[in-house]
Amino acid sequence: MKHILHLKSSIQGNESYSIKLGQAIVEKIQDKYPGSALEELNLVDIEIPHLTPAVLRTFFIPENQLTEEDQKSIRFSDELVKQLLAADIIVIGAPLINYTIPTVLKSWIDHITRAGITFGYGENGPVGKVMGKKVYVAMCSGGVYSQGPGQTNDFVAPYLKAFLGFLGMTDLTVFRAEGLKVPEVKEHAMEKAIESIMVD
């Protein structure tokens, strides 16, 4: 049985293409791995906070030296890291907004980036510690960014591949629903994206 974590980062609610595409990916995974446990986390609904100086400071304090106030500050990050490490498969909804990911998704990344826990340093530099995960990204965009002139402005897929890879999550596949605002493309964009889904 697999443990699936589905992250939602769109502010569009039920109208969100990335949530719909993410759910389609989850369904494909559940078909392949019947009985899998599904955990959904809507980063907008939980109002995930941006890092503050107080929270960041606690990341570098040994656990046995944390004060009660420090423990409260770091609890949110600890829970997100625990949730991530427990998952076998992670589905990330990542709509392209102003050429990049939503700020709530960036906040999630900031909270799970923990030296000594999700990454460390070896003789040859940084070493990711979040190993053995399969990551699927449900990326949606109004324009076309996988090819053509828009490709240079795609800071979603390259960023997620690079940074999640830094944490050890190198097995990452991106499924795109793109051209959702482009005439003669938008009519079939979601259908085409869902048909492209193949899971390992």
Side-chain angles (χ1 to χ4, degrees):
M1 185 178 77
K2 299 292 186 179
H3 183 163
I4 307 164
L5 175 61
H6 181 194
L7 297 175
K8 303 174 183 180
S9 66
S10 173
I11 61 174
Q12 298 295 326
N14 293 333
E15 302 302 315
S16 167
Y17 290 111
S18 67
I19 290 178
K20 292 176 183 177
L21 183 57
Q23 289 171 336
I25 296 170
V26 168
E27 289 173 6
K28 292 277 189 177
I29 297 169
Q30 291 174 321
D31 287 344
K32 186 174 181 64
Y33 301 104
S36 292
L38 172 62
E39 187 172 8
E40 295 182 308
L41 182 62
N42 191 314
L43 302 175
V44 175
D45 286 351
I46 66 171
E47 298 182 350
I48 184 168
H50 294 288
L51 285 187
T52 64
V55 174
L56 181 62
R57 183 182 63 84
T58 62
F59 287 3
F60 304 98
I61 300 174
E63 186 175 358
N64 61 357
Q65 296 179 23
L66 290 171
T67 65
E68 184 175 345
E69 185 176 347
D70 291 336
Q71 291 173 356
K72 289 180 181 178
S73 294
I74 206 172
R75 187 172 296 135
F76 195 91
S77 175
D78 283 345
E79 286 298 318
L80 293 178
V81 170
K82 181 180 178 181
Q83 191 177 48
L84 170 66
L85 296 179
D88 301 301
I89 303 172
I90 301 127
V91 178
I92 301 175
L96 183 148
I97 298 177
N98 298 330
Y99 296 157
T100 189
I101 60 175
T103 58
V104 290
L105 183 54
K106 178 58 168 64
S107 290
W108 177 79
I109 288 172
D110 290 340
H111 280 286
I112 64 161
T113 304
R114 300 279 297 277
I117 301 175
T118 56
F119 78 99
Y121 293 97
E123 293 181 358
N124 298 316
V127 178
K129 291 179 173 288
V130 187
M131 310 294 287
K133 312 292 184 187
K134 175 61 190 181
V135 180
Y136 296 102
V137 175
M139 179 182 168
C140 297
S141 58
V144 175
Y145 294 89
S146 64
Q147 58 186 345
Q151 190 171 17
T152 57
N153 294 323
D154 173 11
F155 298 102
V156 173
Y159 171 70
L160 291 175
K161 286 180 179 179
F163 199 81
L164 296 180
F166 167 80
L167 295 181
M169 292 174 275
T170 56
D171 189 359
L172 184 149
T173 302
V174 178
F175 295 112
R176 295 173 183 256
E178 57 182 351
L180 292 164
K181 302 296 183 183
V182 178
E184 299 182 7
V185 174
K186 63 182 180 181
E187 288 81 3
H188 304 289
M190 277 299 294
E191 179 183 355
K192 181 179 178 182
I194 291 172
E195 288 178 350
S196 75
I197 299 171
M198 296 182 65
V199 299
D200 298 332

